[in-house]
Amino acid sequence: MGTEKAEPGAEQAVKAACHRVLWDMRPFGADEARELLAELDEHVRALSPQVSALVPELGGEDRETALLVLRHVDRVLHPDASLTDGQLRLHELAVVARALSELIVLGRRRVRGERPAGGDAENGSADAAGWLAAGAGA
């Protein structure tokens, strides 16, 4: 982790933390694991209200995906969640943080009237839903 701390929920900081947990094969020690847990928890807490605010603006599958992701937020932030295995908790927080981040990007595009990447207007929530599916081992 760097000496400068990014603002919780900042898109690049979310991507970097999620990449470290989900794809970076370098092992990390107990201190780094605790830092990552705290950072990802902060990201989820910062991003979830933004996604909640977007829900009324979204429609169809995008709205359903946002509501599903928010249910996962409730689960990973539940007080009992901190009692689970640290590696599992890291993974769950990373998956949910990345899904929230993707929903915010989607919401920005929708507000500006842009089509999702790839031009498929009916499949805008695919990235966020994909993060949850990947996290569930689907």
Side-chain angles (χ1 to χ4, degrees), residues 10-128:
E11 190 173 342
Q12 291 307 316
V14 171
K15 286 181 180 181
C18 292
H19 183 274
R20 176 68 177 114
V21 171
L22 299 172
W23 291 288
D24 194 338
M25 299 306 288
R26 292 176 294 135
F28 42 82
D31 289 341
E32 186 177 5
R34 277 191 296 279
E35 287 177 21
L36 284 165
L37 273 169
E39 180 181 357
L40 287 167
D41 186 85
E42 287 178 3
H43 288 315
V44 170
R45 290 178 190 281
L47 295 171
S48 59
Q50 295 176 47
V51 171
S52 292
L54 285 172
V55 169
E57 305 296 321
L58 300 172
E61 289 181 17
D62 295 341
R63 184 185 187 118
E64 291 174 21
T65 300
L67 293 172
L68 176 64
V69 171
L70 290 169
R71 281 194 296 273
H72 282 276
V73 167
D74 289 341
R75 186 178 52 77
V76 300
L77 294 182
H78 190 276
D80 292 342
S82 64
L83 303 176
T84 63
D85 173 77
Q87 291 296 323
L88 176 61
R89 180 145 170 80
L90 262 174
H91 181 266
E92 289 177 338
L93 282 167
V95 167
V96 171
R98 195 66 165 97
L100 288 166
S101 180
E102 288 298 322
L103 281 166
I104 290 168
V105 169
L106 170 68
R108 281 188 213 131
R109 279 193 234 130
R110 292 285 192 233
V111 167
R112 291 190 305 248
E114 296 175 13
R115 296 180 139 242
D120 184 359
E122 297 303 316
N123 201 20
S125 60
D127 287 343

